[in-house]
Amino acid sequence: MLLLGLLVLSIALMTLGLAEFLVSNVTSKRWVKVTGVVTTIIGVLLFLGVAVYFLFVVLPTL
């Protein structure tokens, strides 16, 4: 259940970061672009962490 929650959180972070990045192109504010990129990177890293944990810890026990 925790794994599913982390997966949903990572997808939400990636979506939020992408939305911030797209909005920054309209508003031309640098800090919005930077926070969008950072949020997207955090979401991608969390997603990859969940995927690696699932592949190497959860799947072998099934």
Side-chain angles (χ1 to χ4, degrees), residues 2-43:
L2 179 66
L3 205 60
L4 185 63
L6 286 174
L7 188 65
V8 169
L9 178 65
S10 68
I11 292 171
L13 282 173
M14 287 187 284
T15 305
L16 177 69
L18 183 61
E20 280 185 84
F21 183 75
L22 292 175
V23 165
S24 72
N25 288 335
V26 175
T27 62
S28 298
K29 294 191 177 182
R30 181 174 168 78
W31 66 271
V32 178
K33 185 176 286 191
V34 170
T35 56
V37 169
V38 168
T39 307
T40 304
I41 290 172
I42 291 171

Side-chain angles (χ1 to χ4, degrees), residues 3 49-60 62:
L3 205 60
V50 169
V52 166
Y53 179 80
F54 184 76
L55 284 175
F56 293 110
V57 176
V58 176
L59 271 182
L62 295 179

